[in-house]
C-alpha cells in the first residue's frame, strides 16, 4: 500500500490512507470482481479470450438469480 | 517428485508435504516455529495482556458491582472490547489448536476450485469486512433494545459472554467445516452427517424458521413506518433509487460498483431530507400517512415482486447500498459513543427483571432474555451464511479463525452499541415507546399516566416530554412504537445530535436510523424469500422433478407465492394482534433463531466427534446444551405455561372461554372480532412453537446418536466416515490474522522474493 504520488507533500499520507481505504471498500463490496476474474483467467492459461466487462457483470448477477446468497438479520 | 500425482501429494506419515513443489517456499509456517512463537511471553507481551485484562476487569467492576446512580457508556465499550480481545487471543486459539487443527499446507476451496467467479481467494481483511456485512443486519440493532426492559446488565453479560463462548464458536466451526467440504451448505452437511431423518428435520426446521424470521423482521419495519409519512416516503424512495442503480450498472456503466454506490448514497440522503419536506406539506402528510395494515400489505406485494424480479434490477444494487451504509453507520455509531460518552441512568436490573409480565416482551429472565437477544450473542441464521458463500473465498485455512470468530465478535460489538444507544434515553420514554397501544392507550396523556403508574424508580414523565420528543424527531407521535427500531433511532438521534448538529438535526438522525434499519431488513427479507423459495423448490423437486429447474417460471412463482404467503400471514397476524405483535411474536423470533443455532451446533458436534476430537468436544457441547435448554424451556413455557401472558394455549383458552361466556371485550381486546383474532393467532403461534421444538429435538437427538456412534467406532478402531473433500496441496501463502507475526513476515518475504511467473496469482494486491 504505497502513498499516492502527489505534488503536495502534506497530502501524501492522507491521500495514501484514503486510497487504501477506498481500495478496501471496493474489495468488501465486490467492486474488484472483474479484475480478479481477469487475473484468474490469465493465470489459469485458458486458450479462450476472457469475458468483457459488461458480459462478466451480466453473467455474475444472472447466476445469482438461480443461486441466491443469504443476508442475515 | 515427478511421479507424484498432481494433488493429494503426501509424505510417508500421511501428512501433506509442506513444500509440494520443490521450487516453492513452504506454504505454512513450521508448526514448531509457530508453537515456539505463541508460547514465548516477552515482557512487552505480558504487559499488554495484563493491561487489557485489568482494563476489562475495571470496566466489568463499574458495570456489575459499582452500579452508581449513573454509569458512563464508555465502560460498556471497555468491558466488551477487552473481553473480546481475551476471548479471541486465548479461547479461539484453544479451539483452533485442539479442536479444528487447521493446516495451511492444505489448499482451500478458493484455491483448488478456483474459477474466478464463485471460488476466489480473497484478502483476509477484505473478506472479514465482506463476511461481517453479510452476517450483521438489523438483528443486533433490535434484540438488545427490546431486552433493555430488564435493565442493562443481563443483556450486556449475555451479549459479551454469549458471543465468546457460543456465538463466535458456532460461526467459526460452521465456517471451518464447510470450508473443508468445498463450501457446502448447512443443510447439505446435516444430511451427510445426520442421515435422512435428521437431515430432513433440519431442512424443514430451517425453512419454517426462515419464514418466522423474515416475518418478524418485516413486522419491525411496519411498526417503524406506521403513521410516519416521513419514514414511508424516504424508505419508499429506496426502491426507485435501487432500480436506477440497477439499470445504471447493467446498461450505462457496468462494473462501476463504487461509483453507483456513492450516487445511491447521495440520493438516499436526499430522500431523507426530502422526506421531511414532503411530510411537512399537507398533501404529503395525507398521502404518505399509512396505517400499519396497509404498509404490511404493501410489503407483502413488494416482497413477492422483488423476489421474482431479476437480481440485477433490485436485489444486487440494494445490497451494495446496504453494505455501504452498514460499514458507515457502524463506524459512525462507534465514534459517536466514544466521543459523546453518554451517562446511563437505567438500573443494572430493572423492576421487570424478576417478573414475567413485562410490557415490552413477556416471560421471565430465564429463558426469555436469552432468546430475545439472539443476533449479537448467538445467531443460528449465521450458520447459513458461514456455510456456503464465505468458505469459498477464504485464502488459507488458518484465516477462518479471524474471519469466522472475529467477524462474530464484531457483530456482538454492534449489539453492545445498540444497547448503549437504547438505554441512553429516558426510561419513561423507553416504556412509552415499547409497550403496545393496548397498554399505553396510544396518546401522550394516557401513555404518561400508564408509565408513571408502573412504579419504576426515578421515572416521572409528563405528556409534554413525549410530545416534545416526537416533535424533535419529526414524528406525530412516539407512543407505542414497538419493535426496537424507533427506540434505537431516538437513542441514536439523541447521541448524534450532541456530536453533530444539535437538536435541530435530531429529526434527520432519527430518519437516518430508520432508513438504514429498513434497508438492512428489506435486503434480508428479499434474500430470505429467495433462499427459502429455492429450498422449497428443491424439496418439492424430490417428488416432482420439474420443480428443481430454477428457470421454470411457474414453479418459481408458485414457490415464491407460498413463501411470501407464509411470512405475510405471520406478519399480518402480528400487525393486527390486539396484544401488540412484538410482545407476543418477538420471543418466537428468538426461539426460532436459537433453535437454528442448536441445529448448527448439533451438526458441528457430530462432525467434531467423527474427527475423533472427544477430549475437546465440550467446546461444542457446552453451547449446544445451553441453547438447547434455553430454547426448549422457552418453547415449553410458550406451549404449556398457565400464565396467559406467557403461554399461547393458556391465552387461547382464556379468550375462548371469554367468547363462550358471551363477553364482547376481554383484556386488551376491545371487540369480539379482536377476541377471535387472539384465539386464532395464539393457536397458530402455539402450533408453530410445537413444530419447531419437535423438529429441533429430532435434529439434536440424531446428532447425539451420531456422536455416540462415532465414539463407539473410535473405541472399536473402526474408522468414521469422513465427508471432507480430498486434501489438495496448497501453492500459496498468506498470514492468518490481522497483524502478521514475525515468523509469518519471514515467510511472506520468502514468497515475495519469488519471480512473478513462479507465483500463482496473488489475491488482493495490498
Amino acid at each position: 500500500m504505497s502513498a499516492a504520488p502527489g505534488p503536495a507533500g502534506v497530502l501524501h499520507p492522507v491521500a495514501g490512507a484514503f486510497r487504501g481505504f477506498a481500495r478496501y471498500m471496493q474489495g468488501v463490496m465486490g467492486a474488484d470482481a472483474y479484475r480478479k476474474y481477469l487475473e484468474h483467467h490469465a493465470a489459469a492459461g485458458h486458450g479462450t479470450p476472457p469475458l468483457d466487462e459488461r458480459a462478466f457483470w451480466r453473467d455474475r448477477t444472472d447466476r445469482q438469480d438461480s443461486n441466491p446468497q443469504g443476508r442475515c438479520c | 517428485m515427478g511421479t507424484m500425482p498432481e494433488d493429494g501429494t503426501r509424505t510417508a506419515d500421511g501428512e501433506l508435504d509442506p513444500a509440494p513443489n520443490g521450487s516453492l517456499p513452504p506454504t505454512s509456517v513450521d508448526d514448531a516455529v509457530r508453537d515456539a512463537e505463541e508460547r514465548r511471553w516477552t515482557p512487552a507481551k505480558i504487559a499488554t495482556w495484563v493491561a487489557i485484562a485489568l482494563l476489562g476487569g475495571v470496566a466489568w467492576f463499574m458495570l456489575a458491582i459499582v452500579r452508581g446512580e449513573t454509569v458512563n457508556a464508555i465502560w460498556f465499550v471497555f468491558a466488551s472490547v477487552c473481553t473480546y480481545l481475551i476471548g479471541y487471543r486465548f479461547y479461539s486459539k484453544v479451539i483452533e489448536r485442539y479442536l479444528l487443527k487447521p493446516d495451511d499446507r492444505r489448499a482451500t476451496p478458493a484455491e483448488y476450485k478456483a474459477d474466478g467467479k464463485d471460488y476466489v481467494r480473497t484478502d483476509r481483511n477484505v473478506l472479514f469486512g465482506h463476511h461481517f456485512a453479510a452476517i450483521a443486519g438489523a438483528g443486533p440493532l433490535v434484540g438488545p433494545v427490546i431486552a433493555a426492559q430488564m435493565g442493562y446488565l443481563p443483556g450486556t453479560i449475555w451479549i459479551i459472554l454469549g458471543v465468546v463462548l457460543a456465538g463466535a464458536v458456532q460461526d467459526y466451526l460452521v465456517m471451518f467445516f464447510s470450508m473443508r467440504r468445498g463450501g457446502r451448505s448447512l443443510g447439505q452437511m446435516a444430511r451427510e452427517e445426520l442421515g435422512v431423518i435428521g437431515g430432513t428435520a433440519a431442512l424443514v426446521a430451517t425453512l419454517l424458521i426462515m419464514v418466522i424470521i423474515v416475518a418478524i423482521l418485516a413486522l419491525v419495519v411496519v411498526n417503524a413506518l406506521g403513521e410516519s409519512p416521513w419514514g414511508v416516503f424516504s424508505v419508499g424512495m429506496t426502491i426507485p433509487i435501487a432500480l436506477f442503480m440497477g439499470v445504471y450498472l447493467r446498461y450505462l456503466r457496468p462494473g462501476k460498483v463504487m461509483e453507483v454506490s456513492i450516487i445511491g448514497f447521495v440520493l438516499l440522503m436526499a430522500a431523507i431530507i426530502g422526506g421531511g419536506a414532503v411530510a411537512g406539506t399537507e398533501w404529503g402528510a395525507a398521502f404518505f400517512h399509512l396505517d400499519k395494515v396497509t404498509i404490511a400489505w404493501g410489503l407483502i406485494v413488494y416482497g413477492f415482486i422483488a423476489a421474482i424480479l431479476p437480481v440485477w434490477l433490485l436485489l444486487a444494487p440494494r445490497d451494495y447500498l446496504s453494505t455501504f451504509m452498514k460499514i458507515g453507520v457502524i463506524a459512525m455509531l462507534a465514534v459517536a459513543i466514544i466521543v459523546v460518552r453518554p451517562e446511563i441512568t437505567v438500573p443494572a436490573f430493572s423492576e421487570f427483571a424478576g417478573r414475567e409480565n413485562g410490557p415490552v416482551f413477556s416471560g421471565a429472565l430465564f429463558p426469555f432474555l436469552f432468546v430475545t437477544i439472539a443476533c449479537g450473542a448467538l445467531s443460528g441464521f449465521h450458520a447459513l451464511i458461514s456455510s456456503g458463500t464465505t468458505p469459498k473465498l477464504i485464502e488459507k485455512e488458518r484465516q477462518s479463525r479471524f474471519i469466522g470468530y472475529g467477524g462474530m465478535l464484531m457483530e456482538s460489538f454492534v449489539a453492545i452499541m445498540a444497547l448503549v444507544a437504547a438505554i441512553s434515553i429516558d426510561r419513561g420514554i423507553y416504556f412509552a415507546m415499547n409497550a403496545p397501544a393496548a397498554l399505553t392507550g396510544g396518546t401522550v396523556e394516557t401513555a404518561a399516566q400508564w408509565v408513571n403508574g408502573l412504579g419504576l424508580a426515578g421515572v416521572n414523565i409528563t405528556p409534554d416530554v413525549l410530545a416534545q420528543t416526537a416533535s424533535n424527531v419529526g414524528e406525530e407521535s412516539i407512543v407505542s412504537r414497538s419493535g426496537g427500531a424507533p427506540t434505537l433511532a431516538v437513542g441514536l438521534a439523541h447521541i448524534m445530535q450532541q456530536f453533530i448538529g444539535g437538536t435541530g438535526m435530531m429529526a434527520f438522525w432519527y430518519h437516518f436510523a430508520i432508513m438504514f434499519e429498513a434497508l438492512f431488513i428489506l435486503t434480508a427479507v428479499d434474500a430470505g424469500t429467495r433462499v427459502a423459495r429455492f429450498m422449497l423448490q428443491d424439496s418439492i423437486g424430490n417428488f416432482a422433478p420439474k420443480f428443481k429447474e430454477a428457470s421454470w417460471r411457474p414453479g418459481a412463482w408458485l414457490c415464491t407465492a407460498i413463501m411470501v404467503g407464509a411470512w405475510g400471514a405471520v406478519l399480518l397476524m402480528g400487525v393486527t394482534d390486539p396484544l401488540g405483535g412484538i410482545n407476543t411474536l418477538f420471543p418466537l423470533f428468538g426461539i426460532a433463531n436459537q433453535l437454528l443455532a442448536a441445529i448448527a451446533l448439533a451438526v458441528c458436534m457430530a462432525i467434531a466427534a467423527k474427527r475423533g476430537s472427544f477430549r475437546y468436544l465440550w467446546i461444542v457441547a457446552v453451547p449446544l446444551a445451553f441453547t438447547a435448554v434455553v430454547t426448549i424451556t422457552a418453547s415449553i413455557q410458550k406451549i404449556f405455561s398457565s400464565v396467559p401472558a406467557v403461554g399461547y394455549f393458556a391465552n387461547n383458552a382464556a379468550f375462548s372461554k371469554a367468547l363462550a361466556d358471551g363477553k364482547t371485550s376481554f383484556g386488551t381486546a376491545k371487540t369480539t372480532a379482536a377476541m377471535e383474532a387472539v384465539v386464532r393467532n395464539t393457536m397458530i403461534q402455539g402450533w408453530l412453537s410445537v413444530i419447531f421444538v419437535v423438529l429441533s429435538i429430532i435434529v439434536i437427538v440424531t446428532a447425539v446418536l451420531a456422536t455416540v456412534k462415532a465414539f463407539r467406532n473410535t473405541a472399536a478402531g473402526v474408522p468414521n466416515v469422513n465427508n471432507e473433500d480430498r486434501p489438495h496441496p496448497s501453492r500459496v501463502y498468506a498470514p492468518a490474522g490481522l497483524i502478521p507475526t514475525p515468523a509469518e513476515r519471514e515467510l511472506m518475504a520468502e514468497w515475495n522474493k519469488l519471480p512473478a511467473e513462479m507465483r500463482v496469482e496473488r489475491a488482493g494486491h495490498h
Side-chain angles (χ1 to χ4, degrees):
Chain A
M1 225 191 296
S2 58
V10 199
L11 271 176
H12 251 200
V14 178
F18 181 77
R19 285 202 181 191
F21 175 72
R23 208 164 2 183
Y24 179 75
M25 281 299 283
Q26 294 218 331
V28 169
M29 301 193 41
D32 56 357
Y34 184 60
R35 188 177 55 73
K36 290 184 141 184
Y37 162 75
L38 287 183
E39 274 175 18
H40 168 79
H41 193 89
H46 295 303
T48 51
L51 294 172
D52 68 38
E53 191 165 11
R54 188 175 287 260
F56 170 81
W57 288 100
R58 214 167 249 264
D59 169 67
R60 185 177 166 86
T61 43
D62 290 352
R63 276 181 309 116
Q64 280 175 23
D65 269 327
S66 51
N67 188 16
Q69 295 171 0
R71 273 287 177 270
C72 199
C73 32
Chain B
M1 295 176 96
T3 55
M4 285 208 174
E6 203 185 43
D7 50 43
T9 316
R10 286 170 176 232
T11 53
D13 59 356
E15 292 287 307
L16 278 167
D17 189 331
N21 178 337
S23 54
L24 287 179
T27 53
S28 167
V29 173
D30 186 72
D31 289 339
V33 173
R34 184 186 319 103
D35 227 42
E37 199 170 52
E38 275 173 12
R39 288 174 199 270
R40 190 172 58 232
W41 282 87
T42 59
K45 201 164 144 188
I46 294 174
T48 310
W49 285 104
V50 166
I52 291 171
L54 278 178
L55 181 61
V58 169
W60 275 114
F61 186 74
M62 295 301 287
L63 292 181
I65 312 289
V66 176
R67 299 194 228 150
E69 286 284 287
T70 64
V71 56
N72 194 286
I74 202 72
W75 295 118
F76 288 85
V77 176
F78 286 142
S80 56
V81 172
C82 293
T83 312
Y84 298 152
L85 286 173
I86 291 170
Y88 181 72
R89 171 60 185 80
F90 297 97
Y91 191 52
S92 76
K93 269 270 158 77
V94 168
I95 302 173
E96 177 181 68
R97 184 188 288 255
Y98 300 108
L99 187 68
L100 296 182
K101 304 179 185 130
D103 182 356
D104 270 349
R105 291 165 296 189
R106 271 179 86 138
T108 60
E111 191 183 343
Y112 67 83
K113 284 187 162 184
D115 63 359
K117 292 171 178 175
D118 294 322
Y119 294 88
V120 183
R121 282 184 296 121
T122 307
D123 175 82
R124 63 196 185 283
N125 296 323
V126 168
L127 187 56
F128 181 88
H130 188 86
H131 178 70
F132 170 73
I135 60 171
L141 301 176
V142 169
V145 176
I146 293 174
Q149 154 174 274
M150 298 206 160
Y152 71 76
L153 197 55
T156 305
I157 294 176
W158 166 232
I159 292 171
I160 297 176
L161 294 188
V163 77
V164 168
L165 298 174
V169 177
Q170 173 208 256
D171 286 23
Y172 180 23
L173 262 53
V174 170
M175 185 181 290
F176 183 84
F177 291 140
S178 171
M179 177 182 73
R180 277 282 172 96
R181 286 160 178 72
R184 247 165 278 172
S185 71
L186 180 70
Q188 290 166 313
M189 292 198 284
R191 178 97 186 209
E192 272 176 2
E193 306 297 337
L194 307 182
V196 178
I197 296 176
T200 309
L203 188 77
V204 176
T206 310
L207 203 56
L208 280 174
I209 286 165
M210 286 186 77
V211 167
I212 289 293
I213 289 177
V214 168
I216 291 160
L217 286 174
L219 181 59
V220 170
V221 173
V222 170
N223 278 3
L225 298 184
E227 280 115 38
S228 164
W230 187 338
V232 168
F233 175 82
S234 49
V235 172
M237 283 304 287
T238 61
I239 299 169
I241 292 173
L243 294 175
F244 165 73
M245 289 169 67
V247 171
Y248 189 94
L249 271 179
R250 182 88 165 182
Y251 297 108
L252 300 178
R253 289 174 56 81
K256 300 288 179 281
V257 171
M258 275 313 251
E259 180 181 305
V260 84
S261 302
I262 292 168
I263 295 174
F265 177 75
V266 171
L267 291 175
L268 215 55
M269 292 303 108
I272 297 174
I273 297 165
V278 169
T281 64
E282 208 168 294
W283 65 268
F287 188 73
F288 292 107
H289 182 109
L290 303 176
D291 64 59
K292 290 181 187 174
V293 177
T294 313
I295 296 176
W297 274 108
L299 207 55
I300 292 167
V301 172
Y302 161 82
F304 179 76
I305 296 173
I308 58 172
L309 281 181
V311 164
W312 66 265
L313 189 55
L314 187 59
L315 190 82
R318 230 228 340 260
D319 200 26
Y320 289 133
L321 209 51
S322 168
T323 305
F324 197 83
M325 288 282 276
K326 212 169 273 181
I327 311 260
V329 159
I330 285 155
M332 181 188 86
L333 195 60
V335 170
I337 286 179
I338 291 165
V339 172
V340 176
R341 297 188 301 280
E343 285 290 328
I344 309 293
T345 54
V346 170
F349 291 92
S350 85
E351 293 79 352
F352 293 108
R355 287 157 51 178
E356 56 178 38
N357 61 348
V360 185
F361 70 93
S362 40
L365 195 148
F366 182 87
F368 287 100
L369 178 94
F370 301 94
V371 295
T372 302
I373 301 178
C375 311
L378 169 63
S379 169
F381 215 88
H382 289 191
L384 302 180
I385 317 284
S386 298
S387 61
T389 317
T390 309
K392 295 176 184 160
L393 303 172
I394 299 177
E395 197 171 13
K396 295 296 284 177
E397 287 205 341
R398 285 190 175 272
Q399 294 172 351
S400 53
R401 182 173 74 99
F402 172 54
I403 295 160
Y405 196 95
M408 180 60 193
L409 291 181
M410 191 77 175
E411 186 188 83
S412 176
F413 186 56
V414 175
I416 286 290
M417 289 191 298
L419 181 75
V420 169
I423 58 180
S424 70
I425 64 174
D426 181 85
R427 279 175 90 204
I429 296 178
Y430 173 85
F431 281 103
M433 287 188 76
N434 284 289
L439 295 174
T440 62
T443 67
V444 287
E445 289 81 15
T446 51
Q449 198 186 1
W450 174 79
V451 169
N452 292 337
L454 286 173
L456 303 176
V459 170
N460 185 22
I461 197 163
T462 62
D464 290 350
V465 171
L466 289 173
Q468 184 59 45
T469 309
S471 110
N472 281 348
V473 299
E475 287 291 294
E476 290 160 27
S477 163
I478 53 161
V479 172
S480 291
R481 286 303 182 85
S482 59
T487 310
L488 176 66
V490 169
L492 191 98
H494 177 71
I495 294 175
M496 285 306 292
Q497 58 95 7
Q498 298 175 48
F499 183 41
I500 304 172
T503 321
M505 282 280 278
M506 267 186 90
F508 173 81
W509 289 122
Y510 175 88
H511 287 96
F512 180 76
I514 293 290
M515 161 72 90
F516 70 69
E517 289 184 88
L519 201 58
F520 298 168
I521 290 179
L522 290 180
T523 310
V525 166
D526 275 10
T529 307
R530 269 177 201 270
V531 172
R533 182 254 279 185
F534 274 92
M535 285 167 66
L536 184 65
Q537 266 186 281
D538 220 42
S539 311
I540 298 179
N542 291 332
F543 309 102
K546 187 85 182 146
F547 274 87
K548 287 216 180 196
E549 293 169 25
S551 56
W552 185 53
R553 285 291 166 82
W557 289 26
L558 180 69
C559 291
T560 305
I562 294 173
M563 293 327 295
V564 174
W567 66 251
V570 179
L571 169 63
L572 283 172
M573 192 168 86
V575 170
T576 55
D577 188 6
L579 305 174
I582 287 291
N583 184 303
T584 43
L585 277 176
F586 205 79
L588 201 57
F589 168 83
I591 291 173
N593 205 346
Q594 305 290 55
L595 281 175
L596 196 52
I599 290 175
L601 286 165
V603 172
C604 288
M605 183 171 77
I607 295 177
K610 290 185 189 178
R611 300 174 92 214
S613 319
F614 294 103
R615 260 190 78 190
Y616 293 93
L617 211 56
W618 56 267
I619 293 172
V620 205
V622 169
L624 171 60
F626 181 77
T627 185
V629 167
V630 162
T631 48
I632 293 171
T633 313
S635 300
I636 287 184
Q637 288 193 14
K638 280 285 171 202
I639 297 165
F640 295 110
S641 170
S642 56
V643 181
V646 177
Y648 288 130
F649 291 114
N651 217 348
N652 182 283
F655 276 84
S656 299
K657 183 168 180 298
L659 277 173
D661 292 348
K663 291 186 187 162
T664 53
S665 141
F666 187 68
T668 50
K670 304 293 180 219
T671 62
T672 323
M675 291 165 69
E676 282 163 0
V678 174
V679 170
R680 198 169 53 240
N681 293 354
T682 47
M683 185 53 75
I684 296 172
Q685 290 156 359
W687 277 106
L688 277 174
S689 303
V690 173
I691 295 170
F692 282 167
V693 75
V694 168
L695 287 172
S696 305
I697 289 173
I698 293 175
V699 177
I700 294 170
V701 167
T702 53
V704 170
L705 291 177
T707 305
V708 171
K709 191 175 160 211
F711 183 72
R712 289 212 179 120
N713 279 349
T714 310
V718 182
N720 284 302
V721 182
N722 179 0
N723 292 310
E724 288 184 3
D725 280 4
R726 206 156 41 100
H728 301 258
S730 177
R731 290 164 188 280
V732 294
Y733 179 69
L738 181 64
I739 306 163
T741 66
E744 288 180 330
R745 276 178 216 281
E746 224 171 89
L747 191 51
M748 277 163 76
E750 246 184 274
W751 277 87
N752 287 337
K753 273 189 286 190
L754 270 190
E757 67 275 10
M758 293 278 298
R759 271 181 269 169
V760 186
E761 100 274 27
R762 303 274 299 116
H765 296 264
H766 281 269

